[in-house]
Amino acid sequence: MIPFSVLDLSPITEGGSVAQSLENSRRLAIAAEENGYRRFWLAEHHGMKGIASAATSLVISHVASATRSIRVGSGGVMLPNHSPLVIAEQFGTLAALYPGRIDLGLGRAPGTDMRTAQALRRNMETSANNFPNDVVELQALLGPITEDQKIIAVPGADTNVPIWLLGSSHFSAHLAGMLGLPFAFASHFAPDMLLTALEIYRERFTPSPQLDKPHVMVGVMGVAADTDEEANYLFTSMQQSFVALRRNARGRFPPPVRSMDGLWSGDEKIFVDHAMTYAVVGGPETTRSKIRTFIEQTKADELIISMPIFDMDARLHSLELFGEAQRQLAAAA
């Protein structure tokens, strides 16, 4: 059975605070390490009232300082928002503080609304179109220093922090294959191109100094509980959040409700259900069955789980149940 990892956004819950959210991420990472997860990744989003991981490299350090062996990284840093040199320095610093444990996942979306993206990027179109060149530049800044190199990242140079490309379309699949980088697909919210993107990536893969064969990670939204009924109840927080996103009414992460009736329209339900095509929600037996089917479909090398759960104790219990599912599936394999 393939290894499991965690994707966290440091959700800011209704009635909660940023400080509590960051402490919850720390607690979740400690529990993930104890339960045998391979990675704990944090995502860059900006201007969102329900997400506290905007300063992603800082939150990575906060989490890594509380753990000892689990890999910690970005899922991802939205590279067009930044200069490659700045990211090389940030992740070179992280690599020095936590050697052998830092991952750098890169995406090309803004991770926010267009107005905030403009404030971040200044020149949005140029930044997004330059993504492949920026990735190559960042690779060079993190790699060995060459004789004629004029710009050096200090820290950063020769740290060789592993780079991943993240995507929800064919673009990053082509690029990851061409550059010989590991590829993570955002199937936890963008299911449409999953299987074709993985096919393109594997077909186009060219071995590189970082990777000799294709390596795929796939994402799911996951809520595990003691029963299917309880898991479906907890999952209504994510459903409400996606409805709010569609309405452009972003707020703090809401508590669960017993029924979504009256909280979404028919079209909104269709939108959310489609986005959550690959969600793994249920009790232990349902969870194992859904994971097994998904891995058979994708033939993935790793699974990363985002656990959108309002109550922290329930989130920790979900993490434990997914960890147990991984061990049981591995034993049966």
Side-chain angles (χ1 to χ4, degrees):
M1 175 50 57
I2 65 175
F4 289 6
S5 297
V6 176
L7 175 63
D8 188 39
L9 278 65
S10 295
I12 307 171
T13 58
E14 290 184 13
S17 69
V18 171
Q20 288 171 337
S21 299
L22 296 174
E23 179 56 27
N24 285 342
S25 289
R26 191 175 170 99
R27 291 177 62 194
L28 194 66
I30 292 169
E33 183 171 86
E34 291 172 348
N35 281 271
Y37 287 77
R38 175 169 289 185
R39 309 176 198 276
F40 191 94
W41 281 7
L42 292 134
E44 176 187 345
H45 291 275
H46 298 277
M48 296 193 178
K49 297 176 182 177
I51 296 175
S53 55
T56 314
S57 59
L58 290 178
V59 187
I60 288 171
S61 187
H62 171 67
V63 163
S65 68
T67 53
R68 293 292 174 266
S69 59
I70 193 169
R71 298 191 66 89
V72 187
S74 59
V77 159
M78 301 296 105
L79 188 56
N81 293 340
H82 311 279
S83 145
L85 178 59
V86 168
I87 298 304
E89 291 172 341
Q90 290 178 1
F91 278 77
T93 302
L94 289 168
L97 291 170
Y98 314 105
R101 296 179 53 210
I102 300 298
D103 295 326
L104 175 51
L106 301 173
R108 69 183 183 105
T112 187
D113 62 272
M114 297 309 290
R115 181 173 293 179
T116 306
Q118 211 162 25
L120 283 163
R121 295 178 173 190
R122 304 300 178 187
N123 190 334
M124 293 170 54
E125 186 174 348
T126 301
S127 298
N129 291 338
N130 207 47
F131 180 70
N133 293 331
D134 285 348
V135 173
V136 172
E137 181 180 342
L138 182 53
Q139 282 184 296
L141 289 167
L142 291 170
I145 299 173
T146 60
E147 187 175 342
D148 59 348
Q149 188 169 334
K150 293 181 173 58
I151 298 173
I152 299 173
V154 183
D158 209 20
T159 56
N160 301 296
V161 175
I163 292 176
W164 291 66
L165 288 193
L166 282 53
S168 58
S169 68
H170 295 162
F171 180 91
S172 290
H174 280 283
L175 185 60
M178 182 179 74
L179 296 178
L181 295 174
F183 180 49
F185 194 89
S187 37
H188 57 298
F189 67 85
D192 289 339
M193 299 186 192
L194 168 63
L195 298 179
T196 53
L198 297 188
E199 183 178 0
I200 288 168
Y201 168 67
R202 287 167 174 143
E203 286 179 353
R204 303 296 172 87
F205 183 84
T206 303
S208 71
Q210 180 174 329
L211 198 63
D212 61 356
K213 61 181 180 180
H215 190 94
V216 165
M217 178 187 286
V218 289
V220 296
M221 291 290 184
V223 177
D226 292 331
T227 66
D228 288 357
E229 182 182 17
E230 179 67 7
N232 287 323
Y233 164 67
L234 295 173
F235 191 56
T236 60
S237 291
M238 187 73 251
Q239 291 171 322
Q240 293 175 77
S241 184
F242 259 65
V243 170
L245 185 66
R246 183 176 171 87
R247 294 175 182 175
N248 197 26
R250 299 175 181 90
R252 295 197 167 192
F253 196 64
V257 292
R258 286 298 167 189
S259 173
M260 286 292 294
D261 292 345
L263 298 179
W264 56 10
S265 67
D267 286 346
E268 288 168 340
K269 182 181 186 304
I270 291 170
F271 165 76
V272 174
D273 287 347
H274 179 71
M276 299 293 110
T277 296
Y278 296 115
V280 177
V281 180
E285 186 175 343
T286 300
T287 297
R288 286 193 301 273
S289 175
K290 288 183 176 180
I291 289 172
R292 186 186 299 109
T293 299
F294 186 56
I295 292 170
E296 288 172 354
Q297 280 181 295
T298 60
K299 299 179 175 59
D301 301 292
E302 297 189 38
L303 179 73
I304 191 163
I305 309 167
S306 179
M307 300 186 201
I309 300 172
F310 180 85
D311 179 77
M312 188 58 192
D313 288 339
R315 201 184 313 169
L316 290 167
H317 187 47
S318 177
L319 182 139
E320 291 168 357
L321 291 173
F322 275 113
E324 181 61 28
Q326 194 274 344
R327 288 187 288 273
Q328 291 180 0
L329 288 168

